[in-house]
CSV table of all heavy atoms in Angstrom, one decimal:
chain,number,residue,atom,x,y,z
A,10,LYS,N,-40.4,-1.6,-17.1
A,10,LYS,CA,-39.1,-2.3,-17.5
A,10,LYS,C,-39.4,-2.7,-18.9
A,10,LYS,O,-40.2,-3.6,-19.1
A,10,LYS,CB,-38.8,-3.5,-16.6
A,10,LYS,CG,-37.5,-4.2,-16.9
A,10,LYS,CD,-37.2,-5.3,-16.0
A,10,LYS,CE,-35.9,-5.9,-16.3
A,10,LYS,NZ,-35.6,-7.0,-15.4
A,11,GLY,N,-38.6,-2.1,-19.8
A,11,GLY,CA,-38.8,-2.4,-21.2
A,11,GLY,C,-40.2,-1.9,-21.6
A,11,GLY,O,-40.5,-0.8,-21.3
A,12,ASN,N,-41.0,-2.8,-22.2
A,12,ASN,CA,-42.3,-2.4,-22.6
A,12,ASN,C,-43.4,-2.8,-21.6
A,12,ASN,O,-44.6,-2.7,-21.9
A,12,ASN,CB,-42.7,-3.0,-24.0
A,12,ASN,CG,-41.9,-2.3,-25.1
A,12,ASN,OD1,-41.5,-1.2,-25.0
A,12,ASN,ND2,-41.5,-3.1,-26.1
A,13,ALA,N,-43.0,-3.3,-20.5
A,13,ALA,CA,-44.0,-3.8,-19.4
A,13,ALA,C,-44.1,-2.7,-18.3
A,13,ALA,O,-43.1,-2.1,-18.0
A,13,ALA,CB,-43.5,-5.1,-18.8
A,14,ILE,N,-45.3,-2.6,-17.9
A,14,ILE,CA,-45.6,-1.7,-16.7
A,14,ILE,C,-46.1,-2.5,-15.6
A,14,ILE,O,-46.9,-3.5,-15.8
A,14,ILE,CB,-46.7,-0.6,-17.1
A,14,ILE,CG1,-46.2,0.3,-18.2
A,14,ILE,CG2,-47.1,0.2,-15.8
A,14,ILE,CD1,-47.2,1.2,-18.7
A,15,PHE,N,-45.6,-2.3,-14.4
A,15,PHE,CA,-45.9,-3.0,-13.2
A,15,PHE,C,-46.7,-2.0,-12.2
A,15,PHE,O,-46.4,-0.9,-12.2
A,15,PHE,CB,-44.7,-3.6,-12.5
A,15,PHE,CG,-44.0,-4.5,-13.5
A,15,PHE,CD1,-43.1,-4.1,-14.3
A,15,PHE,CD2,-44.3,-5.9,-13.4
A,15,PHE,CE1,-42.4,-5.0,-15.2
A,15,PHE,CE2,-43.7,-6.8,-14.2
A,15,PHE,CZ,-42.8,-6.4,-15.1
A,16,GLN,N,-47.6,-2.6,-11.5
A,16,GLN,CA,-48.4,-1.8,-10.6
A,16,GLN,C,-48.5,-2.4,-9.2
A,16,GLN,O,-48.5,-3.7,-9.1
A,16,GLN,CB,-49.8,-1.6,-11.2
A,16,GLN,CG,-50.7,-0.7,-10.4
A,16,GLN,CD,-52.1,-0.7,-10.9
A,16,GLN,OE1,-52.8,-1.7,-10.9
A,16,GLN,NE2,-52.5,0.4,-11.5
A,17,LYS,N,-48.7,-1.6,-8.2
A,17,LYS,CA,-49.1,-2.1,-6.8
A,17,LYS,C,-49.9,-1.1,-6.2
A,17,LYS,O,-49.7,0.2,-6.3
A,17,LYS,CB,-47.8,-2.5,-6.1
A,17,LYS,CG,-47.4,-1.4,-5.1
A,17,LYS,CD,-46.3,-2.0,-4.2
A,17,LYS,CE,-46.1,-1.1,-3.0
A,17,LYS,NZ,-45.8,-1.8,-1.8
A,18,ARG,N,-50.9,-1.5,-5.4
A,18,ARG,CA,-51.8,-0.7,-4.6
A,18,ARG,C,-50.9,-0.2,-3.4
A,18,ARG,O,-50.3,-1.2,-2.7
A,18,ARG,CB,-53.0,-1.3,-4.2
A,18,ARG,CG,-53.9,-0.4,-3.4
A,18,ARG,CD,-55.3,-0.9,-3.2
A,18,ARG,NE,-56.1,0.0,-2.4
A,18,ARG,CZ,-57.3,-0.1,-2.3
A,18,ARG,NH1,-58.0,-1.1,-2.9
A,18,ARG,NH2,-57.9,0.8,-1.5
A,19,GLU,N,-50.9,1.0,-3.1
A,19,GLU,CA,-50.2,1.5,-1.8
A,19,GLU,C,-51.1,1.4,-0.7
A,19,GLU,O,-52.3,1.6,-0.8
A,19,GLU,CB,-49.7,2.9,-2.1
A,19,GLU,CG,-48.6,3.0,-3.2
A,19,GLU,CD,-47.3,2.2,-2.9
A,19,GLU,OE1,-47.2,2.0,-1.6
A,19,GLU,OE2,-46.5,2.1,-3.7
A,20,PRO,N,-50.6,1.2,0.6
A,20,PRO,CA,-49.2,1.0,0.8
A,20,PRO,C,-48.8,-0.6,0.9
A,20,PRO,O,-47.6,-0.9,0.8
A,20,PRO,CB,-49.0,1.5,2.2
A,20,PRO,CG,-50.4,1.3,2.9
A,20,PRO,CD,-51.4,1.4,1.7
A,21,ASP,N,-49.8,-1.4,1.0
A,21,ASP,CA,-49.5,-2.9,1.2
A,21,ASP,C,-49.7,-3.8,0.1
A,21,ASP,O,-49.7,-5.0,0.3
A,21,ASP,CB,-50.3,-3.3,2.5
A,21,ASP,CG,-49.9,-2.5,3.7
A,21,ASP,OD1,-48.8,-2.2,3.8
A,21,ASP,OD2,-50.8,-2.2,4.4
A,22,GLY,N,-50.0,-3.4,-1.0
A,22,GLY,CA,-50.3,-4.3,-2.2
A,22,GLY,C,-49.0,-4.9,-2.7
A,22,GLY,O,-47.9,-4.7,-2.3
A,23,GLU,N,-49.2,-5.9,-3.6
A,23,GLU,CA,-48.0,-6.6,-4.2
A,23,GLU,C,-47.9,-6.2,-5.7
A,23,GLU,O,-48.9,-5.8,-6.3
A,23,GLU,CB,-48.3,-8.1,-4.2
A,23,GLU,CG,-48.2,-8.7,-2.7
A,23,GLU,CD,-48.4,-10.2,-2.8
A,23,GLU,OE1,-48.9,-10.8,-3.8
A,23,GLU,OE2,-48.1,-10.8,-1.7
A,24,TRP,N,-46.7,-6.1,-6.2
A,24,TRP,CA,-46.5,-5.7,-7.5
A,24,TRP,C,-47.0,-6.8,-8.4
A,24,TRP,O,-46.8,-8.0,-8.2
A,24,TRP,CB,-44.9,-5.6,-7.7
A,24,TRP,CG,-44.4,-4.3,-7.1
A,24,TRP,CD1,-43.8,-4.3,-5.9
A,24,TRP,CD2,-44.5,-3.0,-7.7
A,24,TRP,NE1,-43.5,-2.9,-5.6
A,24,TRP,CE2,-43.9,-2.1,-6.7
A,24,TRP,CE3,-45.0,-2.4,-8.8
A,24,TRP,CZ2,-43.8,-0.8,-6.9
A,24,TRP,CZ3,-44.9,-1.1,-9.0
A,24,TRP,CH2,-44.3,-0.2,-8.0
A,25,TYR,N,-47.5,-6.4,-9.6
A,25,TYR,CA,-47.9,-7.4,-10.6
A,25,TYR,C,-47.8,-6.7,-12.0
A,25,TYR,O,-47.8,-5.4,-12.0
A,25,TYR,CB,-49.4,-7.9,-10.3
A,25,TYR,CG,-50.4,-6.9,-10.4
A,25,TYR,CD1,-51.0,-6.5,-11.5
A,25,TYR,CD2,-50.7,-6.2,-9.2
A,25,TYR,CE1,-52.1,-5.6,-11.6
A,25,TYR,CE2,-51.7,-5.2,-9.2
A,25,TYR,CZ,-52.4,-4.9,-10.4
A,25,TYR,OH,-53.4,-3.9,-10.3
A,26,ALA,N,-47.8,-7.5,-13.0
A,26,ALA,CA,-47.7,-7.0,-14.4
A,26,ALA,C,-49.0,-6.3,-14.7
A,26,ALA,O,-50.1,-7.0,-14.7
A,26,ALA,CB,-47.3,-8.1,-15.3
A,27,PHE,N,-49.0,-5.0,-15.0
A,27,PHE,CA,-50.2,-4.3,-15.3
A,27,PHE,C,-50.4,-4.2,-16.8
A,27,PHE,O,-51.6,-4.4,-17.2
A,27,PHE,CB,-50.1,-2.8,-14.7
A,27,PHE,CG,-51.2,-1.9,-14.9
A,27,PHE,CD1,-52.4,-2.1,-14.2
A,27,PHE,CD2,-51.1,-0.8,-15.8
A,27,PHE,CE1,-53.5,-1.3,-14.5
A,27,PHE,CE2,-52.2,0.0,-16.1
A,27,PHE,CZ,-53.4,-0.3,-15.4
A,28,LYS,N,-49.3,-4.0,-17.5
A,28,LYS,CA,-49.5,-3.9,-18.9
A,28,LYS,C,-48.3,-4.5,-19.5
A,28,LYS,O,-47.1,-4.1,-19.3
A,28,LYS,CB,-49.5,-2.5,-19.4
A,28,LYS,CG,-49.7,-2.3,-20.9
A,28,LYS,CD,-49.7,-0.8,-21.3
A,28,LYS,CE,-49.8,-0.6,-22.7
A,28,LYS,NZ,-49.5,0.7,-23.2
A,29,THR,N,-48.4,-5.5,-20.4
A,29,THR,CA,-47.3,-6.3,-20.9
A,29,THR,C,-47.4,-6.1,-22.5
A,29,THR,O,-48.4,-5.6,-23.1
A,29,THR,CB,-47.4,-7.8,-20.7
A,29,THR,OG1,-48.6,-8.3,-21.1
A,29,THR,CG2,-47.2,-8.0,-19.1
A,30,SER,N,-46.2,-6.4,-23.1
A,30,SER,CA,-46.1,-6.3,-24.5
A,30,SER,C,-45.5,-7.6,-25.1
A,30,SER,O,-44.2,-7.7,-24.7
A,30,SER,CB,-45.4,-5.1,-25.0
A,30,SER,OG,-45.2,-4.9,-26.4
A,31,PRO,N,-46.1,-8.3,-25.9
A,31,PRO,CA,-47.5,-8.1,-26.3
A,31,PRO,C,-48.4,-8.2,-25.2
A,31,PRO,O,-48.2,-8.9,-24.2
A,31,PRO,CB,-47.7,-9.3,-27.4
A,31,PRO,CG,-46.7,-10.3,-27.0
A,31,PRO,CD,-45.5,-9.6,-26.4
A,32,ALA,N,-49.6,-7.7,-25.4
A,32,ALA,CA,-50.6,-7.6,-24.4
A,32,ALA,C,-51.1,-9.0,-24.0
A,32,ALA,O,-51.3,-9.8,-24.9
A,32,ALA,CB,-51.8,-6.8,-24.9
A,33,GLY,N,-51.2,-9.3,-22.7
A,33,GLY,CA,-51.6,-10.5,-22.1
A,33,GLY,C,-53.2,-10.4,-21.9
A,33,GLY,O,-53.7,-9.3,-21.6
A,34,SER,N,-53.9,-11.6,-21.9
A,34,SER,CA,-55.2,-11.6,-21.7
A,34,SER,C,-55.6,-11.2,-20.2
A,34,SER,O,-56.7,-10.7,-20.0
A,34,SER,CB,-55.8,-13.0,-22.0
A,34,SER,OG,-55.2,-13.9,-21.1
A,35,GLY,N,-54.6,-11.4,-19.3
A,35,GLY,CA,-55.0,-11.0,-17.9
A,35,GLY,C,-54.5,-9.6,-17.6
A,35,GLY,O,-54.6,-9.2,-16.3
A,36,ASP,N,-54.0,-8.8,-18.5
A,36,ASP,CA,-53.5,-7.5,-18.2
A,36,ASP,C,-54.6,-6.6,-17.6
A,36,ASP,O,-55.6,-6.5,-18.2
A,36,ASP,CB,-52.9,-6.8,-19.5
A,36,ASP,CG,-51.6,-7.3,-19.8
A,36,ASP,OD1,-51.0,-8.3,-19.2
A,36,ASP,OD2,-51.0,-6.7,-20.8
A,37,GLU,N,-54.3,-6.0,-16.5
A,37,GLU,CA,-55.3,-5.2,-15.9
A,37,GLU,C,-55.5,-3.9,-16.8
A,37,GLU,O,-56.6,-3.3,-16.9
A,37,GLU,CB,-54.8,-4.7,-14.5
A,37,GLU,CG,-55.8,-3.9,-13.7
A,37,GLU,CD,-57.0,-4.7,-13.3
A,37,GLU,OE1,-57.0,-6.0,-13.3
A,37,GLU,OE2,-58.0,-4.1,-12.9
A,38,TYR,N,-54.5,-3.6,-17.5
A,38,TYR,CA,-54.6,-2.4,-18.4
A,38,TYR,C,-55.7,-2.5,-19.4
A,38,TYR,O,-56.3,-1.5,-19.8
A,38,TYR,CB,-53.2,-2.2,-19.2
A,38,TYR,CG,-53.3,-1.1,-20.2
A,38,TYR,CD1,-53.3,0.2,-19.7
A,38,TYR,CD2,-53.4,-1.3,-21.5
A,38,TYR,CE1,-53.3,1.3,-20.6
A,38,TYR,CE2,-53.6,-0.3,-22.4
A,38,TYR,CZ,-53.4,1.0,-22.0
A,38,TYR,OH,-53.5,2.0,-22.9
A,39,ARG,N,-56.1,-3.8,-19.8
A,39,ARG,CA,-57.2,-4.0,-20.7
A,39,ARG,C,-58.5,-3.4,-20.1
A,39,ARG,O,-59.5,-3.1,-20.9
A,39,ARG,CB,-57.4,-5.4,-21.0
A,39,ARG,CG,-56.2,-6.0,-21.9
A,39,ARG,CD,-56.6,-7.4,-22.2
A,39,ARG,NE,-55.6,-8.0,-23.1
A,39,ARG,CZ,-55.8,-8.3,-24.3
A,39,ARG,NH1,-57.1,-8.0,-24.9
A,39,ARG,NH2,-55.0,-8.8,-25.1
A,40,LYS,N,-58.6,-3.2,-18.8
A,40,LYS,CA,-59.8,-2.7,-18.2
A,40,LYS,C,-59.8,-1.1,-18.2
A,40,LYS,O,-60.7,-0.5,-17.7
A,40,LYS,CB,-59.9,-3.2,-16.8
A,40,LYS,CG,-60.0,-4.8,-16.8
A,40,LYS,CD,-60.0,-5.3,-15.4
A,40,LYS,CE,-60.0,-6.8,-15.4
A,40,LYS,NZ,-59.9,-7.4,-14.1
A,41,LEU,N,-58.7,-0.5,-18.6
A,41,LEU,CA,-58.7,0.9,-18.8
A,41,LEU,C,-59.2,1.3,-20.2
A,41,LEU,O,-58.3,1.1,-21.2
A,41,LEU,CB,-57.3,1.5,-18.6
A,41,LEU,CG,-56.8,1.9,-17.2
A,41,LEU,CD1,-55.4,2.3,-17.2
A,41,LEU,CD2,-57.8,2.9,-16.6
A,42,GLN,N,-60.4,1.8,-20.3
A,42,GLN,CA,-61.0,2.0,-21.7
A,42,GLN,C,-61.1,3.5,-21.9
A,42,GLN,O,-61.5,4.2,-21.1
A,42,GLN,CB,-62.4,1.3,-21.7
A,42,GLN,CG,-62.4,-0.2,-21.6
A,42,GLN,CD,-61.7,-0.8,-22.8
A,42,GLN,OE1,-62.0,-0.5,-23.9
A,42,GLN,NE2,-60.7,-1.7,-22.5
A,43,PRO,N,-60.8,3.9,-23.2
A,43,PRO,CA,-61.0,5.3,-23.5
A,43,PRO,C,-62.5,5.7,-23.4
A,43,PRO,O,-63.4,4.9,-23.7
A,43,PRO,CB,-60.6,5.4,-25.0
A,43,PRO,CG,-59.8,4.1,-25.3
A,43,PRO,CD,-60.3,3.1,-24.3
A,44,GLY,N,-62.7,6.9,-22.8
A,44,GLY,CA,-64.1,7.3,-22.6
A,44,GLY,C,-64.6,7.2,-21.2
A,44,GLY,O,-63.9,6.7,-20.4
A,45,ASP,N,-65.8,7.6,-21.1
A,45,ASP,CA,-66.4,7.7,-19.7
A,45,ASP,C,-67.5,6.7,-19.6
A,45,ASP,O,-68.6,6.8,-20.1
A,45,ASP,CB,-67.0,9.1,-19.5
A,45,ASP,CG,-67.6,9.3,-18.2
A,45,ASP,OD1,-67.7,8.4,-17.3
A,45,ASP,OD2,-68.1,10.5,-17.9
A,46,TYR,N,-67.1,5.6,-18.9
A,46,TYR,CA,-68.1,4.5,-18.7
A,46,TYR,C,-68.5,4.5,-17.1
A,46,TYR,O,-69.1,3.6,-16.7
A,46,TYR,CB,-67.5,3.2,-18.9
A,46,TYR,CG,-67.2,3.0,-20.4
A,46,TYR,CD1,-65.9,3.4,-20.9
A,46,TYR,CD2,-68.2,2.5,-21.2
A,46,TYR,CE1,-65.7,3.2,-22.3
A,46,TYR,CE2,-67.9,2.3,-22.6
A,46,TYR,CZ,-66.6,2.6,-23.1
A,46,TYR,OH,-66.4,2.5,-24.4
A,47,ALA,N,-68.3,5.7,-16.4
A,47,ALA,CA,-68.7,5.7,-15.0
A,47,ALA,C,-69.8,6.7,-14.7
A,47,ALA,O,-70.6,6.5,-13.8
A,47,ALA,CB,-67.4,6.0,-14.1
A,48,THR,N,-69.8,7.9,-15.5
A,48,THR,CA,-70.7,9.0,-15.0
A,48,THR,C,-72.2,8.7,-15.1
A,48,THR,O,-72.9,9.1,-14.2
A,48,THR,CB,-70.3,10.2,-15.9
A,48,THR,OG1,-68.9,10.6,-15.6
A,48,THR,CG2,-71.2,11.4,-15.4
A,49,ALA,N,-72.7,8.0,-16.0
A,49,ALA,CA,-74.1,7.6,-16.1
A,49,ALA,C,-74.6,6.9,-14.8
A,49,ALA,O,-75.6,7.3,-14.2
A,49,ALA,CB,-74.4,6.8,-17.3
A,50,ARG,N,-73.8,5.8,-14.5
A,50,ARG,CA,-74.2,5.1,-13.2
A,50,ARG,C,-74.0,5.9,-12.0
A,50,ARG,O,-74.7,5.9,-11.1
A,50,ARG,CB,-73.4,3.8,-13.2
A,50,ARG,CG,-73.8,2.9,-12.0
A,50,ARG,CD,-75.0,2.2,-12.2
A,50,ARG,NE,-75.4,1.5,-13.4
A,50,ARG,CZ,-75.1,0.2,-13.6
A,50,ARG,NH1,-74.4,-0.5,-12.7
A,50,ARG,NH2,-75.3,-0.4,-14.7
A,51,PHE,N,-72.8,6.7,-12.0
A,51,PHE,CA,-72.5,7.6,-10.9
A,51,PHE,C,-73.8,8.6,-10.7
A,51,PHE,O,-74.2,8.7,-9.6
A,51,PHE,CB,-71.3,8.4,-11.3
A,51,PHE,CG,-71.0,9.7,-10.5
A,51,PHE,CD1,-70.2,9.5,-9.3
A,51,PHE,CD2,-71.5,10.9,-10.8
A,51,PHE,CE1,-69.9,10.6,-8.5
A,51,PHE,CE2,-71.2,12.0,-9.9
A,51,PHE,CZ,-70.5,11.9,-8.8
A,52,ASP,N,-74.3,9.2,-11.8
A,52,ASP,CA,-75.4,10.0,-11.7
A,52,ASP,C,-76.6,9.4,-11.1
A,52,ASP,O,-77.4,9.9,-10.3
A,52,ASP,CB,-75.7,10.7,-13.0
A,52,ASP,CG,-74.7,11.8,-13.4
A,52,ASP,OD1,-73.9,12.2,-12.6
A,52,ASP,OD2,-74.6,12.0,-14.6
A,53,ARG,N,-76.9,8.1,-11.5
A,53,ARG,CA,-78.1,7.4,-11.1
A,53,ARG,C,-78.0,7.2,-9.6
A,53,ARG,O,-78.9,7.3,-8.8
A,53,ARG,CB,-78.3,6.1,-11.8
A,53,ARG,CG,-78.8,6.3,-13.2
A,53,ARG,CD,-79.3,5.0,-13.7
A,53,ARG,NE,-78.3,4.0,-14.0
A,53,ARG,CZ,-77.6,3.8,-15.2
A,53,ARG,NH1,-78.0,4.6,-16.1
A,53,ARG,NH2,-76.7,2.9,-15.3
């Protein structure tokens, strides 16, 4: 809606602001980082 993105986990989650504009300190989107931060620990 506008510049904001809302998210919910299916099937029973609740909707919440995922990405806002301007960005909020609690935006879950801030935890989506460019690059691969999972494979090294995955491999271990």
Side-chain angles (χ1 to χ4, degrees):
K10 181 176 183 179
N12 291 329
I14 297 175
F15 299 86
Q16 182 187 69
K17 100 172 195 143
R18 183 171 177 168
E19 293 295 346
D21 299 321
E23 293 182 342
W24 288 98
Y25 61 92
F27 179 74
K28 181 181 180 192
T29 58
S30 181
S34 63
D36 283 5
E37 188 69 19
Y38 177 74
R39 288 179 175 257
K40 297 174 187 174
L41 271 178
Q42 296 294 311
D45 183 355
Y46 292 92
T48 299
R50 183 71 54 86
F51 168 92
D52 287 342
R53 285 195 295 267

